[in-house]
Amino acid sequence: MPQAIKKNAEERMEKALAALKRDLSTLRAGRASPAILDRVQAEYYGTPTPVNQLGSITTPDSRTLVIQPWDKSALSAIEKAILKSDVGLTPANDGTIIRLVVPPLTEERRADLVKQTKKFGEEAKVAIRNIRRDANDDIKKLEKGEISEDESRRHQEDVQKLTDRYVAEVDKILAAKEKEVMEV
């Protein structure tokens, strides 16, 4: 039973790590990437819809994103959604497609991106620590009848080692993203 608890905790920590990677991919680091628009939602027929579901997003070069909506009526909704979002890009609408030119990052914008990166990292660490707490609580419940105190303590130490490993992985991912953001 404690093995199942630890396995569940590890799976949930892996999902927290995947969520961190997904969140970090939405931060622009000076290069055009369709992932920048993952969190942008346009009001389409009264329903908030992700922009990447309203058209094809391509990168003709390293500094440009092109959005070609499948439905021409969605063009203005996509444009408004990008303007309202926090991606920091200004759309250029030519009637059939929307172009987003990714400008080179300023030092101030780089510092803001590093702050956002650290915020995402802290959220991931909190999620991992909450998973640790849940696993330890489940192990303590087993202590009342199925396992001894010593076994409980040993399993909790295993959960702590797992937590430490995933927190170190978060730090490694954050360091790589910070380096990517800060390189000129």
Side-chain angles (χ1 to χ4, degrees):
M1 191 70 156
Q3 297 304 329
I5 293 170
K6 289 189 282 188
K7 179 134 180 72
N8 180 35
E10 186 169 12
E11 289 171 359
R12 290 176 57 201
M13 288 180 188
E14 194 63 47
K15 288 179 184 174
L17 215 54
L20 171 66
K21 289 176 184 174
R22 187 179 58 247
D23 287 344
L24 289 178
S25 73
T26 64
L27 294 178
R28 72 179 172 97
R31 279 185 240 95
S33 165
I36 294 171
L37 300 172
D38 280 354
R39 293 183 299 171
V40 179
Q41 297 207 342
E43 194 71 27
Y44 185 63
Y45 290 112
T47 306
T49 309
V51 169
N52 57 11
Q53 292 180 11
L54 294 175
S56 62
I57 302 172
T58 57
T59 53
D61 60 59
S62 66
R63 296 257 182 230
T64 309
L65 282 172
V66 174
I67 305 168
Q68 185 166 16
W70 291 304
D71 180 5
K72 299 291 183 224
S73 66
L75 204 61
S76 64
I78 293 171
E79 187 176 15
K80 288 177 188 171
I82 293 169
L83 285 170
K84 286 194 307 188
S85 72
D86 64 346
V87 293
L89 300 174
T90 305
N93 180 349
D94 74 358
T96 57
I97 61 172
I98 294 176
R99 290 186 195 284
L100 298 169
V101 177
V102 179
L105 294 174
T106 63
E107 194 61 38
E108 181 181 322
R109 182 69 180 140
R110 289 178 194 277
D112 288 345
L113 287 174
V114 168
K115 284 180 190 175
Q116 274 187 299
T117 300
K118 289 181 179 181
K119 180 181 145 238
F120 286 142
E122 267 315 303
E123 289 171 358
K125 287 178 182 179
V126 167
I128 289 169
R129 290 181 189 123
N130 286 340
I131 294 166
R132 174 190 62 192
R133 184 196 62 224
D134 294 345
N136 284 340
D137 288 347
D138 291 344
I139 290 170
K140 286 176 186 173
K141 287 177 187 171
L142 292 178
E143 193 178 310
K144 293 187 171 55
E146 297 181 35
I147 61 174
S148 68
E149 268 186 57
D150 290 339
E151 283 180 281
S152 172
R153 193 169 296 113
R154 188 172 56 247
H155 291 301
Q156 288 179 37
E157 287 170 3
D158 290 346
V159 170
Q160 183 60 46
K161 287 176 188 170
L162 190 66
T163 302
D164 293 342
R165 190 174 86 217
Y166 277 95
V167 167
E169 186 67 26
V170 166
D171 288 337
K172 191 171 106 180
I173 291 169
L174 290 178
K177 184 66 176 184
E178 188 173 333
K179 182 180 178 213
E180 177 188 339
V181 167
M182 292 308 284
E183 77 184 25
V184 179

